[in-house]
Amino acid sequence: MQKDRSAIRYEQFARPRSNNRKWAGMGAAFSFLALAGAGAYFLLGEESAAHGPPPALSSAGGPIANEAYQWKAVAIGAGGFITGLSQDPSGQTMVVRTDVYGAYIWDAKGDRWQQLLTAPAMPQVDRVQDGIAQGVYEIAVAPSKPDRIYMAIKGRVYRTDDGGRNWTLPSMPEPLGWDANSAYRTQGPYLAVDPVNPDLVFLGSPFDGLWRSADGGAHWARVSSIPVGVDRSDAPGLQMPGTMIWFEQALGGRASGRIFSQVSGRGVYVSTDKGLSFTPLSSGTAHPMTIRRAVFDRNGVFFCVDEKSQAIWAYEKGSWRNVSEQAGLPPMGFVAIAASPSADQLVVFDGSGAGYQSSDGGRTWGSLSHTARAGEKDPPWLRIADQSFFATADIRFDAKVPNRLWVAAGMGVFHADLPPGSVVAQWESQSRGIEELVANDVVQAPGQSPAFAAWDFGIHVKDDLNAYSTGYGPRERVLIAAQQLDWSPADPRFMVTNASDTRLSCCWQDGNAVLAGTSKDGGRSWRKFASLPVPPGTKEDDAWRMSFGTIAVSASDPKNIVWAPAFNRQPFVTGDQGASWRPVNLPGAVGDTPGSFKEFYYQRKTLAADKVKGGTFYLYHSGEAPNVLLAGLWRSRDAGESWQKVFGGEISPQSNYAAKLRAVPGKEGHLFFTSGHSTASDTRLRRSLDGGAHWSMLETVDRVDDVAFGKAAPGAAYPTIFLSGRVGGIYGIWRSVDDTKSWQRLVDFPAGTLDQVTVMAGDPDIFGRVYLGYKGSGWIWGEPAPCKPAPLASLEPRQCSKVGG
């Protein structure tokens, strides 16, 4: 999830892309589809096509002896910000980093990207629940040793000598401070390896300065002559990019031995003793102080793009010059720069993908416009990248393919063939294998295909779990987050969502900042709610007055929907599918913010409809000030019109973040609850059999991320229960076919992922099938299969595990 969307303006997303070479792409961004009024239908896919849930892999239909499970990523594809890339000079190894989970390496044989952060590849210390569910701060291939890669994550630097199949964790005095998802995540490089000596490596941290290792990361020492950067903001804590590092490439690309280092707000420093000491780079003229990216061209000139001056700069023969000023280029927020290894060609882009290129070493420049398309083997829905705003992070020329330029972009990895003199960058995606969507929800009603709800790129309904999505709903609007889905047993094809645009200060002018509404065909087409209420403390002209949060629909009447929005705003209920709304009044509530869903990005599901008893809803309130007295479980038995507190106080500690309240299908009044919090004083799973009035603890089950329910085993009276958590202190994905009396571990880390589970769902029609949604890597599904269990190999996307093994 991007953190700095609030800085984007509406006009960037509404102005069509110009064909004028000089101004093409400048200040422009995503061009939306035609305006749609309230109540309009948005279609996803072909309505006339035959649809059905994915067929089972096994014909057993229940538990069997020596049962095995297959685990694999749900094929949706890409979708997250690729924040940086690295390639060795021979072109053998290319890697990219992400801001939410892990990094990927291009597998030429498999013709796809492979995730590098997997359980079989990482050290044992990381093979624990939520052990390394983070984005990668920086990653770098050793120029002289392509199988060696350094990766900075979790405050330390990992190393592989076999192309990512095995990672070691060399020594570092203590974890360093950084945020791979900060506002500075697209800058760098923060990690650099000597072009000749693969053991000499540098790491720049925003909070801890520059660090050096001369033995391949086995030992690290702080470079005392490099200061910490200047704080960029008045906000609490230090706000700045990390120290950046470049090894000088002299004429012809030869290493000179000098090392450049940029300290934010202090300028560039240089070392002539292999990085043991640095001194300020001498210059008697103005020079850049806030470099975002830089490169040495084939003539040994150091070119960079600077944030504060919004200009291109060059350092040559001991002095700086403002290239933009000399060439008459207007100030622009340049974010990326690349130099061709085979020509005097330079390319720069700003954050929206508007750019310039020079074919004469930076003396003259011509503007670059862009187009984008999905690659032939890539997720088809990536066609939406063809917008005026093409989010850009990092670029570099390919080491082997002449004129090919790669870009780390906001939706994945793209390339364009860009000979000198080009006027258009025709980007084509090459993102297959990358699964970087942030999972918000997954549901499957009986007889229907599963629907997956994502941060940023909506709802994906999947008839085929192995085929990339062709589109998404409620409509292909950039950006739209579907935070929750729900369905009604009265009509399994009926679905409701609270989808809302995540850019809270931008792009409401088309009337579709909130696409919350209903579907009558299992999520394939959607109708917006005809109206949105105005919660206390908000105004009619606030496009996000009713948005995000948690939503549920009655078991007996699809017209009856309750919605508890984010920002602690008052919940509302409708009896006519959103034509009109009435406030949900909890007795004792005070002030304009009586809700219990504070931050819009919480992975929180604390409103549920009973899946048997019509008109019965449950709402968990965690009691944040000033409504401390509202803490507890509230129930309505009259379609949300009146509410009674049936359980007072927190059900479990620290339940005001990622708590999950789940109603059991087919079992009236049966509820499960987890705080979803890893460090709470008591993380045991709770359940209620009487509609939330009383709760019991499953003593041996704790650290539960989420719980889900699937088709009952043959002869069983209770749905199969799945959970991600610990049973008897052991983490894994667990299954119970006898109403929690016993548990079977299906797998430790599905498909090797070390990401954190945020949501789960079970298949009501296929025994044993379970869906897992992750913090930063999409979804994985598992189900019984006639496969042969074996230890998972590194860089292998499919796993077969033995149940109970």
Side-chain angles (χ1 to χ4, degrees):
M1 182 184 77
Q2 302 174 43
K3 289 187 176 181
D4 52 359
R5 297 189 183 105
S6 61
I8 302 172
R9 305 182 307 278
Y10 170 73
E11 58 266 26
Q12 289 180 289
F13 289 82
R15 186 181 306 152
R17 185 168 52 238
S18 170
N19 289 324
N20 184 290
R21 285 182 55 188
K22 181 176 180 181
W23 300 108
M26 294 176 59
F30 296 118
S31 301
F32 290 129
L33 303 177
L35 301 187
Y41 264 114
F42 305 119
L43 303 181
L44 170 62
E46 296 291 334
E47 283 195 295
S48 59
H51 298 291
L57 297 176
S58 170
S59 60
I64 59 175
N66 299 314
E67 187 178 7
Y69 258 65
Q70 175 187 280
W71 302 92
K72 192 179 180 185
V74 176
I76 292 176
F81 215 140
I82 303 297
T83 53
L85 47 84
S86 177
Q87 186 183 37
D88 73 283
S90 73
Q92 175 180 320
T93 302
M94 179 182 283
V95 293
V96 297
R97 57 175 164 98
T98 79
D99 57 359
V100 286
Y101 177 69
Y104 293 82
I105 186 169
W106 178 252
D107 176 2
K109 184 178 180 180
D111 194 29
R112 54 170 287 155
W113 295 94
Q114 303 283 11
Q115 174 64 250
L116 286 168
L117 264 70
T118 62
M122 299 304 291
Q124 185 63 42
V125 67
D126 297 309
R127 300 176 199 172
V128 295
Q129 183 179 10
D130 190 18
I132 196 163
Q134 300 179 14
V136 168
Y137 175 63
E138 189 59 277
I139 190 165
V141 183
S144 63
K145 195 172 184 178
D147 281 337
R148 175 172 292 184
I149 307 168
Y150 294 91
M151 177 172 61
I153 186 172
K154 203 179 176 182
R156 299 185 184 277
V157 177
Y158 292 72
R159 192 187 88 192
T160 177
D161 287 311
D162 55 9
R165 290 172 177 78
N166 295 278
W167 292 88
T168 58
L169 182 56
S171 173
M172 187 165 276
E174 60 185 39
L176 303 184
W178 59 63
D179 180 0
N181 199 10
S182 78
Y184 308 103
R185 65 194 185 282
T186 61
Q187 301 184 26
Y190 302 129
L191 186 66
V193 188
D194 186 284
V196 177
N197 178 7
D199 290 334
L200 183 59
V201 58
F202 291 83
L203 169 71
S205 163
F207 312 123
D208 304 291
L210 183 65
W211 290 71
R212 177 184 187 271
S213 174
D215 55 7
H219 300 88
W220 292 85
R222 169 77 185 272
V223 181
S224 59
S225 54
I226 290 285
V228 174
V230 177
D231 194 354
R232 296 275 195 95
S233 171
D234 294 332
L238 293 176
Q239 309 292 322
M240 70 184 79
T243 301
M244 302 176 197
I245 317 97
W246 301 269
F247 286 86
E248 185 178 46
Q249 303 292 300
L251 183 65
R254 298 185 304 275
S256 71
R258 292 206 305 173
I259 306 170
F260 284 28
S261 179
Q262 152 79 12
V263 181
S264 180
R266 303 190 189 278
V268 177
Y269 291 67
V270 65
S271 172
T272 58
D273 59 3
K274 298 184 178 179
L276 292 171
S277 63
F278 284 78
T279 58
L281 187 64
S282 61
S283 176
T285 59
H287 53 277
M289 300 291 286
T290 52
I291 294 174
R292 292 183 63 105
R293 291 280 180 181
V295 66
F296 285 94
D297 76 354
R298 67 173 186 166
N299 299 307
V301 181
F302 182 69
F303 285 91
C304 66
V305 290
D306 181 61
E307 184 170 2
K308 186 175 181 179
S309 63
Q310 295 193 313
I312 308 166
W313 291 79
Y315 182 82
E316 183 180 15
K317 298 178 181 179
S319 64
W320 287 97
R321 54 188 173 91
N322 187 320
V323 175
S324 293
E325 195 173 79
Q326 292 176 348
L329 301 180
M332 286 182 66
F334 297 115
V335 300
I337 184 167
S340 171
S342 58
D344 292 337
Q345 183 183 13
L346 292 159
V347 181
V348 294
F349 288 108
D350 72 3
S352 73
Y356 290 91
Q357 74 93 28
S358 171
S359 299
D360 56 11
R363 289 186 292 277
T364 61
W365 297 79
S367 65
L368 275 172
S369 63
H370 62 266
T371 63
R373 65 180 183 180
E376 182 180 352
K377 301 177 182 178
D378 264 24
W381 69 268
L382 284 177
R383 63 181 176 274
I384 198 171
D386 189 26
Q387 308 287 344
S388 295
F389 193 102
F390 184 80
T392 302
D394 189 15
I395 57 175
R396 69 171 297 133
F397 279 94
D398 191 277
K400 293 174 66 176
V401 181
N403 303 318
R404 175 156 293 182
L405 187 69
W406 291 92
V407 61
M411 293 189 195
V413 182
F414 291 71
H415 62 72
D417 292 327
L418 201 72
S422 299
V423 297
V424 180
Q426 297 177 318
W427 296 118
E428 179 177 316
S429 72
Q430 189 166 318
S431 299
R432 51 193 175 273
I434 294 176
E435 295 289 346
E436 203 196 340
L437 286 180
V438 175
N440 278 336
D441 208 357
V442 50
V443 299
Q444 184 174 2
Q448 304 302 304
S449 297
F452 302 85
W455 208 255
D456 290 350
F457 296 106
I459 300 163
H460 299 251
V461 180
K462 306 292 291 183
D463 300 328
D464 185 345
L465 297 169
N466 292 300
Y468 286 127
S469 300
T470 59
Y472 64 88
R475 66 175 295 186
E476 291 182 358
R477 184 183 198 273
V478 182
L479 304 161
I480 196 72
Q483 194 156 30
Q484 189 165 5
L485 303 168
D486 197 23
W487 58 275
S488 174
D491 179 3
R493 289 171 57 82
F494 182 86
M495 194 177 294
V496 64
T497 185
N498 54 2
S500 308
D501 195 310
T502 49
R503 297 161 296 182
L504 299 183
S505 63
C506 160
C507 312
W508 67 91
Q509 287 87 339
D510 65 354
N512 289 317
V514 175
L515 287 174
T518 61
S519 172
K520 295 182 179 180
D521 56 7
R524 303 180 194 285
S525 63
W526 292 87
R527 183 186 294 273
K528 286 200 306 181
F529 289 133
S531 68
L532 292 177
V534 183
T538 69
K539 298 180 179 179
E540 182 77 32
D541 61 357
D542 179 356
W544 285 270
R545 63 187 182 276
M546 190 75 180
S547 56
F548 304 104
T550 181
I551 196 166
V553 57
S554 169
S556 61
D557 182 7
K559 295 180 179 179
N560 183 201
I561 300 164
V562 178
W563 183 2
F567 314 112
N568 276 345
R569 290 173 183 161
Q570 185 165 25
F572 282 80
V573 59
T574 178
D576 52 20
Q577 264 179 37
S580 62
W581 298 84
R582 296 174 299 282
V584 167
N585 293 308
L586 302 182
V590 297
D592 289 342
T593 55
S596 184
F597 199 112
K598 185 178 179 182
E599 304 294 348
F600 73 98
Y601 51 80
Y602 279 171
Q603 286 287 0
R604 184 174 176 84
K605 306 289 184 288
T606 47
L607 171 66
D610 195 286
K611 289 300 182 185
V612 178
K613 186 69 174 178
T616 298
F617 293 90
Y618 308 98
L619 174 63
Y620 177 71
H621 201 294
S622 50
E624 292 193 8
N627 283 289
V628 177
L629 297 180
L630 296 185
L633 196 285
W634 295 78
R635 182 175 65 199
S636 173
R637 287 178 167 171
D638 57 2
E641 296 299 321
S642 64
W643 296 76
Q644 298 79 41
K645 186 193 286 186
V646 296
F647 182 88
E650 283 194 301
I651 297 176
S652 64
Q654 293 185 260
S655 57
N656 56 333
Y657 299 104
K660 308 290 194 305
L661 174 68
R662 299 299 194 184
V664 182
K667 298 294 178 180
E668 180 181 346
H670 286 213
L671 305 171
F672 281 79
F673 185 88
T674 175
S675 67
H677 200 287
S678 62
T679 61
S681 58
D682 178 0
T683 62
R684 288 172 290 180
L685 183 64
R686 268 72 166 174
R687 78 178 302 188
S688 173
L689 303 178
D690 58 4
H694 300 87
W695 294 85
S696 60
M697 301 179 187
L698 277 68
E699 295 291 342
T700 63
V701 182
D702 65 354
R703 279 291 314 272
V704 174
D705 299 308
D706 199 5
V707 58
F709 316 99
K711 183 179 181 179
Y718 208 84
T720 299
I721 304 171
F722 301 95
L723 63 84
S724 167
R726 301 190 306 193
V727 176
I730 300 173
Y731 173 72
I733 307 303
W734 297 83
R735 182 184 79 182
S736 175
V737 296
D738 56 8
D739 190 11
T740 76
K741 295 181 180 64
S742 64
W743 295 91
Q744 298 169 296
R745 189 162 79 147
L746 305 178
V747 69
D748 49 3
F749 303 102
T753 183
L754 295 173
D755 199 2
Q756 181 182 9
V757 172
T758 56
V759 290
M760 296 180 67
D763 190 313
D765 303 315
I766 304 297
F767 171 77
R769 181 183 286 166
V770 61
Y771 305 101
L772 310 168
Y774 286 88
K775 180 179 175 182
S777 54
W779 294 263
I780 288 174
W781 105 91
E783 65 175 284
C787 58
K788 184 177 181 180
L792 179 65
S794 301
L795 308 182
E796 173 57 50
R798 187 192 306 246
Q799 180 181 15
C800 183
S801 66
K802 180 181 179 181
V803 173

